[in-house]
Amino acid sequence: MKVSLFITCLADVFFPEVGKSVVEVLERQGVEVDFPQAQTCCGQPAYNSGYQREAKEAAKQMIKAFASSQYVVAPSGSCAAMIRHYYPRLFEQEPEWRNQAEELAKKTYEFSEFLVRVLGAAELDACYPATAAYHQSCHMCRGLGIQEEPLKLLQSVEGLEQKELPYAQDCCGFGGTFASKMSSISEAMVDEKIRHLEETEASLLIGSDMGCLMNIAGRLQRTGKSIRAMHVAEVLAKGMSK
């Protein structure tokens, strides 16, 4: 089985270790991973800001970059949701591109979704002693309907004690450009998320979207909190290497 890694902008620029972890976990499952160099942003920032033409250009580049891929896996529910749900809509009036957008949408998966639903790898040989809480990101939870898959994977990690995060499904306040356009509201939302996180007494926050984790981890750091943040792929990769 061959998988093409869609690294996503945030992982590519700020969190390359997340991409490396995804590759490590997939390869340990016997999957061959490649990295199409022509990939770029999925176009979601432009799409969400109303720039349809610019979003289409990014989408066309992505469609061409992954045209020969068997599967496409991303460490982000948000970017995977953009491809799966919004690419076909972008090209509703362009049948040729719409067909190609639908083909890409069918073979694109979020990381934990691919492991559980495609590979059936809910039980991983991993050990990572820590007390952790899991944050459900908006697009992954409500856009893709993925909630249980990352939790199943984390439940298989020896030594990892999972605490239930109150209101785990509530937005952290990131929301892409929302965090910069509505910064005061965003700040209040992330502070509420951190209050709930502290109620769990967890020392580690785990998530599946680096936008959320960057937002929450940044606020944790600025307010002097000692809680760490990690992508689920990082927890699995580190746990499997022990």
Side-chain angles (χ1 to χ4, degrees):
M1 180 181 292
K2 294 184 67 174
V3 161
S4 294
L5 172 65
F6 167 32
I7 186 66
T8 77
C9 296
L10 289 180
D12 187 31
V13 176
F14 298 111
F15 308 101
E17 65 278 9
V18 172
K20 292 177 182 177
S21 296
V22 169
V23 173
E24 186 174 339
V25 173
L26 290 174
E27 288 184 340
R28 281 177 175 265
Q29 301 305 308
V31 175
E32 182 181 346
V33 183
D34 68 6
F35 183 81
Q37 295 286 337
Q39 64 182 280
T40 184
C41 173
C42 66
Q44 185 177 174
Y47 182 81
N48 290 346
S49 299
Y51 295 100
Q52 299 274 313
R53 181 175 60 82
E54 288 79 1
K56 278 187 178 181
E57 291 304 311
K60 287 179 178 178
Q61 183 62 33
M62 288 289 286
I63 289 169
K64 289 186 282 187
F66 292 104
S68 61
S69 300
Q70 182 181 7
Y71 293 101
V72 178
V73 172
S76 166
S78 182
C79 299
M82 175 66 192
I83 293 174
R84 190 175 299 173
H85 293 308
Y86 299 109
Y87 274 22
R89 294 186 192 179
L90 272 173
F91 299 107
E92 281 183 332
Q93 305 304 319
E94 301 175 59
E96 182 180 348
W97 279 106
R98 180 184 171 86
N99 290 339
Q100 295 180 68
E102 289 176 342
E103 287 300 313
L104 177 57
K106 288 177 185 175
K107 62 185 179 184
T108 297
Y109 293 85
E110 183 277 331
F111 171 68
S112 67
E113 177 188 32
F114 183 79
L115 281 174
V116 174
R117 296 186 185 178
V118 180
L119 295 183
E123 296 288 335
L124 300 178
D125 184 15
C127 176
Y128 195 87
T131 302
Y134 183 81
H135 165 67
Q136 298 275 4
S137 53
C138 294
H139 285 174
M140 183 163 158
C141 177
R142 290 183 275 275
L144 294 178
I146 301 171
Q147 297 185 54
E148 298 301 321
E149 287 79 356
L151 297 177
K152 284 182 180 178
L153 294 171
L154 294 173
Q155 285 167 2
S156 74
V157 178
E158 182 181 348
L160 185 66
E161 180 184 1
Q162 291 194 67
K163 298 285 189 177
E164 184 174 352
L165 178 62
Y167 304 99
Q169 74 284 354
D170 282 4
C171 179
C172 68
F174 179 61
T177 56
F178 172 81
S180 57
K181 292 179 177 177
M182 304 285 184
S183 58
S184 60
I185 299 175
S186 174
E187 184 176 296
M189 293 170 74
V190 74
D191 282 343
E192 183 178 55
K193 177 66 67 177
I194 289 174
R195 284 197 297 275
H196 293 315
L197 179 58
E198 289 182 310
E199 291 172 13
T200 70
E201 299 183 345
S203 61
L204 175 64
L205 172 68
I206 303 175
S208 295
D209 271 280
M210 290 315 301
C212 304
L213 290 178
M214 181 175 69
N215 184 45
I216 301 170
R219 190 61 177 165
L220 285 167
Q221 184 179 30
R222 287 192 295 276
T223 53
K225 312 292 185 184
S226 60
I227 303 171
R228 297 175 297 132
M230 294 176 70
H231 191 279
V232 62
E234 293 179 287
V235 175
L236 296 177
K238 289 183 183 298
M240 294 170 76
S241 65
K242 291 183 177 178

